Amino acid sequence: MASAAEQLAANLNFSAFSKAGELKKRIWFTLGALLIYRLGTYIPLPGINPAALAEVFRQQSTGIIGLFNMFSGGAVGRMAIFALAIMPYISASIIVQLMTTVSPHLEALKKEGEQGRKIINQYTRYGTVLLAVVQAYGIAVGLEGQANVVVDPGLFFRIATVITLTGGTMFLMWLGEQITARGIGNGISLIIFAGIVAELPAAIAGTLELSRQGALSTTIILAIAVMAIAVIAFIVYMERAQRRLLIQYPKRQVSQNRMTGGESSHLPLKLNTAGVIPPIFASSLLLLPTTIANFSAQGAGAGWLSTITTHLAHGRPLYMLLYVALIVFFCFFYTAIVFNPNETADNLKKYGGFIPGIRPGERTAEYIDYVLTRITVVGAAYMALVCLLPEILISYAAVPFYFGGTSLLIVVSVTMDTVAQVQGHLYAAQYEGLIKKARLKGKRR
C-alpha cells in the first residue's frame, strides 16, 4: 500500500515536472551557466608555463592551497582565469555585513528595504573589485617568484594577470546573480557547489591510486567512506531540525452568533538558521591571507609570509582553532542578520498572535531571542563538529582528500535548498494549472 502511494506521488511529480515549462527553462539556464563556469576553469592565464606550474602546485597542494583549489573547481592548480573563484566576493560580503553593525549609514540603508539593499550590494561589488585586484597582484608577483612558471615576467604580465583574474571574479559574481534571478537556487552557493563536486572524482581516483600503491590501507579508505556517509546523514537530520514555538490567535466575534479566529500555528526556528554561510565565510577568511603567501618566494616579506603559511596550513592547531572560532562567530552573527526577534514579535502583535504564557511585544521578543540563542549554540556546535572532525581524521590519516566536513556541509545544504526550490516551482505550476482548469469550467458553465 505504501509503495503504491509512493509510486503515485512520483508519477504526479513527474507529470507536474513535464508541464512546468518555466521550471524547465530555469533548470536549463542554471546548467548552462554552470557549464560556462566549468569551461572557464580550464582557460589558463596568458604567459604561464603549464608544466612548471604543475610541478610547483604538486609541491604545495598538500596544504591549504589544495583546499582553495577544491573550492575553485581546480582552477588554482591550472591557474585559470577563474583562479580567484568567488572568494573575493564572499570576503567583501563579510566586510560589508560587519560594517552594517558599526556604520550608521549602512545600518540606515539596510532598513530602507529593496532600495537600500541595492546600494549595499553595489558597495559589495566595489569591495569585490578591490580585493580581487589585491589578490590578483599578489598572485602575479608570487608566480614570477617561482622558477620558470612565467614565460615573460614583468609589468605587462602583472597587469594582464590582474585584469584577467579580476575580470574572472566579476564575471562569476555576475553569473551567480543571474542564476539566482533566472535559474534555480542561490547562484553563489551553486558555483561553489559545482567546483567541489567537479573535483570529487579526481580526489577519489587519487585516493584509490594511493591504495593501489600501498600508501593507504583499505581499512582507512573504508573508514573514510563510512564517515562520509554518516556525516551526510547527520547533516540532513540537523538541517531539518526545528524548534517550533506555539502561536495562538484569539477568537473574534464577527457577528451576533458567529465567532472566528482561535486558531493556533507554529513559529519554526531552525537549529541552523545561518545555513551554509558560516563555513564558507570562515574558509574565505582563512584563505585570504594565504592566497598570496603560498605563492610568494621572494622579497623582504617572504619570511613572515612563510610563517603565516606554516601556521595556517591544513590540519595545524592554529588553523583548527581559528576555523572553529570563525564558524561559531558567523553562526551567531549571520543568525542575527537574517532573523530579527523584535520584528517578529511586532508582526505577531499586529495580527493578534501571542505565545501562550508570554506577554506580547517586548517580552515576546526577549523570549524568541532567548530560544534562538540556545538553539544557535547547538547549531554552532554541530557545524563546528561536522567541519572539524573529518579534517582532523583526514589530517592524522595523511590522506590527500579534501572532500571533508566543510565540503560535505556545503554540498548537502545546497542540494537540499535547490531541491526545495524545485519543489516550490512544481507546487506553483500545479496551482496555476488548477486555476486554469477552474476558469475553463467557469466559462463552460
Side-chain angles (χ1 to χ4, degrees):
M1 183 73 176
S3 61
E6 291 174 359
Q7 184 64 34
L8 177 60
N11 292 335
L12 289 174
N13 288 335
F14 179 78
S15 175
F17 179 78
S18 63
K19 296 178 182 178
E22 178 65 21
L23 177 60
K24 290 181 182 178
K25 292 179 181 178
R26 286 180 173 271
I27 291 176
W28 281 114
F29 180 85
T30 302
L31 293 176
L34 294 178
L35 178 61
I36 292 174
Y37 160 64
R38 289 303 303 155
L39 291 176
T41 60
Y42 286 90
I43 302 175
L45 283 173
I48 296 293
N49 184 344
L53 176 66
E55 177 62 24
V56 171
F57 181 78
R58 185 184 64 80
Q59 298 173 0
Q60 301 186 5
S61 61
T62 56
I64 201 169
I65 284 295
L67 186 64
F68 194 14
N69 186 55
M70 180 198 66
F71 278 116
S72 65
V76 172
R78 293 182 287 269
M79 198 47 61
I81 60 175
F82 292 158
L84 287 180
I86 205 68
M87 291 305 174
Y89 175 76
I90 295 175
S91 300
S93 299
I94 297 171
I95 295 172
V96 172
Q97 289 183 7
L98 287 173
M99 290 298 295
T100 56
T101 61
V102 297
S103 172
H105 174 64
L106 292 177
E107 188 176 1
L109 288 176
K110 184 181 176 181
K111 296 178 180 179
E112 289 182 6
E114 182 66 20
Q115 187 63 30
R117 187 181 64 83
K118 289 181 179 179
I119 298 176
I120 292 177
N121 287 342
Q122 196 64 28
Y123 290 158
T124 304
R125 294 187 184 99
Y126 294 149
T128 302
V129 173
L130 179 61
L131 290 176
V133 168
V134 172
Q135 294 184 50
Y137 183 79
I139 288 177
V141 174
L143 288 174
E144 289 183 342
Q146 305 295 332
N148 302 322
V149 172
V150 180
V151 177
D152 187 17
L155 181 61
F156 179 78
F157 170 77
R158 296 183 184 184
I159 293 175
T161 300
V162 169
I163 293 175
T164 303
L165 293 181
T166 303
T169 295
M170 298 308 295
F171 176 79
L172 286 182
M173 182 185 68
W174 174 83
L175 192 65
E177 292 175 351
Q178 295 303 308
I179 293 175
T180 302
R182 302 170 59 185
I184 295 292
N186 182 282
I188 302 300
S189 298
L190 279 175
I191 288 175
I192 299 174
F193 167 87
I196 294 173
V197 172
E199 289 299 294
L200 177 59
I204 294 176
T207 304
L208 294 178
E209 178 63 21
L210 289 176
S211 176
R212 188 185 67 83
Q213 296 174 358
L216 287 176
S217 66
T218 305
T219 304
I220 292 179
I221 294 179
L222 291 177
I224 292 175
V226 171
M227 182 194 68
I229 295 173
V231 170
I232 290 173
F234 182 59
I235 290 172
V236 172
Y237 176 78
M238 296 298 284
E239 288 296 320
R240 292 181 178 273
Q242 294 179 346
R243 169 70 189 276
R244 296 185 177 183
L245 299 181
L246 179 63
I247 304 297
Q248 190 72 38
Y249 292 92
K251 292 184 178 181
R252 292 190 178 91
Q253 185 170 358
V254 295
S255 62
Q256 187 175 359
N257 298 319
R258 185 184 173 191
M259 301 287 290
T260 185
E263 300 92 354
S264 62
S265 62
H266 292 89
L267 175 65
L269 300 177
K270 288 190 64 178
L271 185 69
N272 179 26
T273 307
V276 75
I277 295 299
I280 293 179
F281 278 13
S283 299
S284 177
L285 286 184
L286 286 176
L287 290 172
L288 182 60
T290 56
T291 300
I292 302 174
N294 279 274
F295 283 99
S296 180
Q298 64 175 9
W304 66 268
L305 286 175
S306 177
T307 303
I308 291 177
T309 305
T310 302
H311 288 289
L312 288 181
H314 191 65
R316 294 298 295 268
L318 181 60
Y319 170 80
M320 300 287 189
L321 180 62
L322 289 177
Y323 193 36
V324 171
L326 288 172
I327 287 176
V328 173
F329 169 76
F330 282 118
C331 279
F332 283 93
F333 175 74
Y334 203 75
T335 297
I337 289 178
V338 300
F339 192 93
N340 189 336
N342 292 321
E343 184 178 341
T344 303
D346 290 341
N347 290 334
L348 288 176
K349 186 177 181 180
K350 183 188 301 183
Y351 293 103
F354 63 94
I355 299 175
I358 306 297
R359 183 179 301 174
E362 185 177 349
R363 293 295 300 273
T364 298
E366 292 176 356
Y367 178 74
I368 294 175
D369 183 65
Y370 170 75
V371 174
L372 188 63
T373 301
R374 288 169 65 91
I375 64 175
T376 302
V377 170
V378 179
Y382 134 73
M383 190 164 294
L385 176 65
V386 167
C387 294
L388 195 61
L389 180 60
E391 303 292 336
I392 295 174
L393 295 178
I394 293 172
S395 177
Y396 281 100
V399 180
F401 181 52
Y402 292 100
F403 198 70
T406 306
S407 306
L408 284 176
L409 181 64
I410 293 173
V411 169
V412 174
S413 299
V414 172
T415 300
M416 292 174 62
D417 291 342
T418 305
V419 170
Q421 288 202 22
V422 170
Q423 290 178 343
H425 284 284
L426 285 176
Y427 292 146
Q430 289 177 334
Y431 181 73
E432 291 178 0
L434 291 175
I435 291 179
K436 289 181 180 179
K437 287 182 180 180
R439 289 177 179 175
L440 289 174
K441 287 183 180 180
K443 290 181 180 180
R444 289 173 182 174
R445 293 176 182 176

